[in-house]
Amino acid sequence: MSLDVSRDDRGALTLRLNRPDKRNAIDDETLFELIGAIDAAGTDDDVRVIVVEGAGEHFCSGADIVARNARSDRKPRAGSIQRRLPTQAHRLIPLLCTVQVPVVCKVRGWAAGIGFQIALAADLTIAADDARFWEPFGERGFTPDSGATWLLPRRVGEVRARELLLLGRALSGTEAAAWGAIHRAVAEPELDAAVDEIAGRLASGPTVALGLTKWLLAAGASADLHAQLANEAFALELSSRTDDFREGITAFREKRAPRFEGR
């Protein structure tokens, strides 16, 4: 299997890219496994946070173009990329952005191309300070995909997005955090503990409310004020009917920390 899937007793679902000999470059099999796992997590009441990481020294070096081109000696017919992308990379990124479970990304080593986009699409990305984030498209002679031209301007601004996409500048983990591309950079030996702490906090949170908050942030990117206020009223109506809402109010009244169950 090119993707290891495991879940702990906190409800933290870990998706580990498992092609370390290829720097976890994503082939078609891995893409479909990722899509399936995230899609299933969105309707699994026992999943309270998703952690995406890579096996070995690197997170993800991008799409495995060599593997795809080696599958056949026949040239694909015109339009194959346009037909394929909506079911693969262009399905994965919207899923990460919209699944109503928090997504945490752990990055060490290289995060290039779609690996960079996964980190951008996650709700919180923690990276080693010496990690490398890179958009290789210009150097490879083709245009960006997997949401790079949508995610980057929203995370780092248009001017910096142009520098990354047109000039191919690579960012260290420290620089990516300073630019606002990721949540935090830490020393590499501290990375596992930092991600585990964040995942634990999210896993013990009010899962329904957190998922709806994530939905509101995504919807707000294209909604006007009145539409977004209506979205907030809808989300508040739902979240206020949960067991976690009642627990939060009770804990406040009793002056103690809430014990959320994700329901």
Side-chain angles (χ1 to χ4, degrees), residues 219-260:
S222 58
D224 62 31
L225 176 59
H226 294 292
Q228 189 65 0
L229 290 173
N231 289 337
E232 289 185 353
F234 171 76
L236 184 56
E237 177 69 28
L238 287 182
S239 62
S240 66
R241 294 176 180 269
T242 63
D243 292 342
D244 282 344
F245 171 76
R246 286 184 284 275
E247 165 61 12
I249 295 299
T250 301
F252 176 75
R253 186 184 306 119
E254 296 176 354
K255 296 182 172 54
R256 61 172 174 81
R259 296 183 290 270
F260 296 123

Side-chain angles (χ1 to χ4, degrees), residues 18-57:
N18 190 22
R19 304 182 75 216
D21 57 322
K22 301 292 186 181
R23 293 189 173 186
N24 296 317
I26 293 181
D27 60 1
D28 290 350
E29 178 186 356
T30 310
L31 263 176
F32 288 124
E33 289 177 359
L34 267 173
I35 289 167
I38 296 167
D39 209 14
T43 55
D44 186 340
D45 288 345
D46 293 326
V47 174
R48 301 182 69 182
V49 64
I50 299 170
V51 178
V52 185
E53 62 182 28
E57 299 178 355

